[in-house]
Amino acid sequence: MKEHHIRLTSSEIGGVWANYISDSLFICVYRYFLAKVEDKETQAILKHALDLSYQHVKVITNIFKEEGHAIPQGLSDEDVNVDSPRLFSDEFFLIYTKQMTKGALAIYGVVLPHTFRKDIREHLCHVSHLLWNYLMRQQIYF
């Protein structure tokens, strides 16, 4: 039997779109943080967070392309000046990372019940799992 293709619902588009915009922001922020960080352990944490954001943007871009949907503009290299003076401490970089990770988990928890397509649910569950593992590995607790 031929499998029916289910189009993205408005709640899925909105959730994935917001995820794309957030991760494009995180890419800019973490690029700046990595240009300024001094501590090697903190640098490794920030690099991992940046890599996750790049992965998320790539997956979401592919979802939108497969649907023939517009790709969000998001933020880009033009929106951050990594050569600007250092504004924050390494400790702030870690606090920011913890708060953004907790915020992302909360958003995924809100979006997930409103998804209908298996690929979108799998993406959100996968990302949530990666973030939980990240928090536990870094011993970052609520």
Side-chain angles (χ1 to χ4, degrees), residues 17-42:
W17 190 282
N19 185 212
Y20 183 99
I21 298 297
S22 297
D23 276 308
S24 72
L25 167 68
F26 297 153
I27 289 169
C28 291
V29 169
Y30 287 122
R31 284 185 59 248
Y32 171 79
F33 286 179
L34 282 165
K36 305 303 173 195
V37 67
E38 296 170 351
D39 179 69
K40 294 296 180 192
E41 287 181 54
T42 303

Side-chain angles (χ1 to χ4, degrees), residues 42-142:
T42 303
Q43 182 182 38
I45 292 168
L46 299 176
K47 177 75 172 97
H48 181 70
L50 177 64
D51 291 343
L52 287 176
S53 291
Y54 275 124
Q55 290 172 27
H56 300 169
V57 166
K58 182 178 178 180
V59 168
I60 294 167
T61 298
N62 289 337
I63 289 169
F64 281 141
K65 282 182 180 178
E66 289 172 7
E67 288 298 308
H69 199 290
I71 308 296
Q73 182 174 349
L75 286 93
S76 69
D77 292 346
E78 297 173 7
D79 297 305
V80 63
N81 179 2
V82 297
D83 296 323
S84 65
R86 181 181 169 117
L87 299 173
F88 309 106
S89 67
D90 285 3
E91 291 81 13
F92 175 83
F93 298 158
L94 293 173
I95 291 167
Y96 176 89
T97 300
K98 176 183 178 181
Q99 295 305 320
M100 292 304 103
T101 302
K102 288 168 50 175
L105 284 169
I107 297 288
Y108 297 145
V110 170
V111 172
L112 192 57
H114 303 285
T115 60
F116 300 94
R117 281 188 25 177
K118 184 179 178 183
D119 61 333
I120 304 300
R121 282 193 314 271
E122 287 175 349
H123 168 67
L124 293 173
C125 287
H126 176 72
V127 172
S128 295
H129 179 74
L130 289 175
L131 291 176
W132 274 112
N133 283 343
Y134 170 77
L135 287 173
M136 295 301 118
R137 190 172 54 252
Q138 299 305 325
Q139 297 182 351
I140 300 171
Y141 305 108
F142 294 90

